[in-house]
Amino acid sequence: MSAQQSATDYVFRPKDSLVGAQMLFVAFGALVLVPLLTGLNPNVALFTAGVGTLIFQFITKRMVPIFLASSFAFIAPIIYGVNTWGIPGTMCGLVAAGLFYIVLSLCIKAFGPGFLHKLLPPVVVGPVIMVIGLVLAPVAVHMAMGRTGDGSAWLVPQSTAMIVAGVALLVTILTSLLGKGWLRLIPILIGVGAGYAAALILDVIGVSGSIQTGFDPGALKNFTGPALVSFKPLVDAPWFAVPDFVLPEWNLQAIIFIVPVAIAPAIEHFGDILAIGSVTGKDFVKEPGIHRTMMGDGIATSFASFLGGPPNTTYSEVTGAVTLTRMFNPGIMTWAAIFAIALAFIGKMGALLQTIPVPVMGGIMLLLFGAITVIGLNTLVKAGEDLTEPRNLTIVALILVCGIGGMVLPFGKFTLGGIGLSGILGVVLNLVLPAKQPN
């Protein structure tokens, strides 16, 4: 057996536990950011990420050194869903998204890996990803300015909020541009920490209270306080507690709205598997097979959503860490999963995360939603398609305008709109519009 083969074989040993903890640390910021932005429970997200990774390892024969955790692609639809149908109804749609992955994996097994690219070419996937990034851009702006996500009330005075959001955003950008080694892998975590520290400093020197005293909320409701950070939830929380699991409730509207969102991360899954394959020198598309990795992702997502956690996805941050450390043993990810499950039962962990002020999250979201949009744009650019060609122009234009513009189609008691409508519309147009005829 060669050194390369032995390096990538699954081995579970105690000496790898510290490296596994480091892998979880790399994923931690993004993992807990999704529940914090969407109103879900961070401890549940930790638990479902850990168990989801173990499920993925079982289905993929413990061959792929990957960690599964909260998917950014679902942030916008979860925020909308929680506000519209509550967490249980939204979870129903997310469970269905996981089942959609499973159906795709069966189709890939039957028709080959090229099936997904034919059904979902870049001309469909690119603009759908852009819609995901842009449809709730106002939420990021509202939160960065100190308001609730819908802009209906003040949580933090605007001038204070802009300082905190600005620090979080600036540090995140600088870390991603100038950070070295491990720092470059966790710019969001560093940015959140900087924003949190800025809020604490403003509280300690009295700036928060001073600005709040003279703050004019105008016509909006005013829920501002003299301090940005309150540690009461942390003090009241127990050290050890079972995560606050939430079971899904049947909601067909949530299913119709959310399932099309799974189109984008399904395509992204291919890229992640190819990336980790290039790092380790193995072709995971063939063995264990892209159908198995997609199946593992889908079952992990449905499991997470069944307990009230965000959908899972393969984490590029962890792939970057694997590249840096050159430690390809999938058993390291088993340790990361075990640590995630253990942390989920520390009640004060979730309480501490929930003390982070809203503007900190808002500052991060400004960059995050924009970055998702750029990823969609880059998908179109890399495809090299002529977007002014009538067929491509029609597909891209209608996806963007209907998705961002908030087009809603009623079907009896149900409605289809936003991201869901744009995704389904793109797939249908790609299937029914005739291909460009050669000259």
Side-chain angles (χ1 to χ4, degrees):
M1 181 179 291
S2 69
Q4 178 72 2
Q5 287 175 320
S6 63
T8 57
D9 285 344
Y10 181 92
V11 182
F12 183 69
R13 52 200 178 191
K15 71 176 185 178
D16 289 330
S17 59
L18 181 59
V19 181
Q22 289 178 331
M23 292 298 178
L24 176 60
F25 178 74
V26 170
F28 188 84
L31 194 167
V32 300
L33 181 66
V34 175
L36 289 175
L37 293 177
T38 57
L40 304 183
N41 188 292
N43 289 63
V44 174
L46 280 165
F47 179 83
T48 55
V51 176
T53 298
L54 297 179
I55 291 173
F56 179 86
Q57 289 192 326
F58 175 77
I59 293 174
T60 58
K61 305 178 183 179
R62 300 185 302 179
M63 295 179 65
V64 188
I66 262 181
F67 185 81
L68 265 62
S70 311
S71 173
F72 278 27
F74 289 88
I75 290 176
I78 293 175
I79 291 174
Y80 178 86
V82 170
N83 290 334
T84 306
W85 306 297
I87 293 178
T90 303
M91 290 301 116
C92 179
L94 296 175
V95 170
L99 297 177
F100 174 74
Y101 282 3
I102 295 172
V103 171
L104 282 181
S105 72
L106 296 175
C107 292
I108 292 169
K109 175 67 174 176
F111 303 112
F115 159 78
L116 199 56
H117 288 294
K118 293 179 181 178
L119 181 67
L120 302 169
V123 75
V124 172
V125 176
V128 169
I129 295 175
M130 293 173 69
V131 169
I132 292 171
L134 291 174
V135 72
L136 283 185
V139 174
V141 174
H142 287 317
M143 292 176 64
M145 296 180 70
R147 298 189 289 263
T148 55
D150 61 0
S152 64
W154 291 102
L155 299 175
V156 176
Q158 180 171 330
S159 55
T160 311
M162 295 296 286
I163 295 172
V164 173
V167 169
L169 176 60
L170 181 61
V171 171
T172 301
I173 294 172
L174 291 177
T175 304
S176 65
L177 292 175
L178 306 175
K180 304 294 183 182
W182 286 94
L183 289 179
R184 193 177 185 124
L185 296 174
I186 52 173
I188 292 177
L189 187 62
I190 300 297
V192 169
Y196 193 67
L200 289 173
I201 292 172
L202 291 177
D203 282 348
V204 170
I205 64 178
V207 171
S208 302
S210 175
I211 293 177
Q212 194 264 350
T213 301
F215 177 63
D216 179 11
L220 299 183
K221 296 178 182 177
N222 184 15
F223 299 133
T224 63
L228 293 170
V229 181
S230 171
F231 290 110
K232 187 177 186 305
L234 179 62
V235 173
D236 294 342
W239 276 104
F240 300 101
V242 175
D244 188 16
F245 298 119
V246 178
L247 297 178
E249 292 180 356
W250 174 255
N251 191 309
L252 183 58
Q253 278 187 294
I255 293 174
I256 295 173
F257 176 77
I258 291 176
V259 166
V261 177
I263 291 172
I267 295 292
E268 185 181 330
H269 178 88
F270 269 91
D272 289 337
I273 297 302
L274 290 173
I276 192 64
S278 67
V279 169
T280 60
K282 287 198 169 185
D283 187 356
F284 295 124
V285 173
K286 290 184 177 180
E287 183 64 30
I290 196 70
H291 64 286
R292 281 185 175 272
T293 63
M294 182 75 75
M295 175 76 74
D297 203 338
I299 294 177
T301 287
S302 289
F303 170 81
S305 304
F306 192 79
L307 294 180
N312 282 322
T313 190
T314 50
Y315 258 33
S316 300
E317 297 96 319
V318 176
T319 298
V322 171
T323 305
L324 275 180
T325 62
R326 311 302 295 171
M327 301 189 73
F328 305 138
N329 172 20
I332 292 171
M333 300 307 167
T334 303
W335 276 113
I338 291 172
F339 281 118
I341 293 170
L343 282 177
F345 289 88
I346 299 178
K348 289 191 181 296
M349 171 66 70
L352 175 63
L353 294 173
Q354 290 170 0
T355 65
I356 300 174
V358 165
V360 175
M361 297 293 103
I364 300 299
M365 288 171 70
L366 290 175
L367 180 62
L368 178 61
F369 286 167
I372 293 173
T373 304
V374 172
I375 290 171
L377 182 61
N378 192 49
T379 301
L380 289 174
V381 172
K382 290 200 305 183
E385 299 277 356
D386 180 5
L387 298 183
T388 62
E389 190 271 322
R391 184 180 189 273
N392 293 336
L393 179 64
T394 299
I395 295 174
V396 174
L398 289 178
I399 290 175
L400 291 176
V401 173
C402 292
I404 299 172
M407 173 74 74
V408 175
L409 297 180
F411 296 94
K413 295 181 179 180
F414 305 102
T415 58
L416 179 63
I419 299 168
L421 174 61
S422 63
I424 292 176
L425 182 62
V427 171
V428 171
L429 289 174
N430 178 60
L431 292 176
V432 301
L433 291 181
K436 179 181 179 182
Q437 297 299 317
N439 295 328

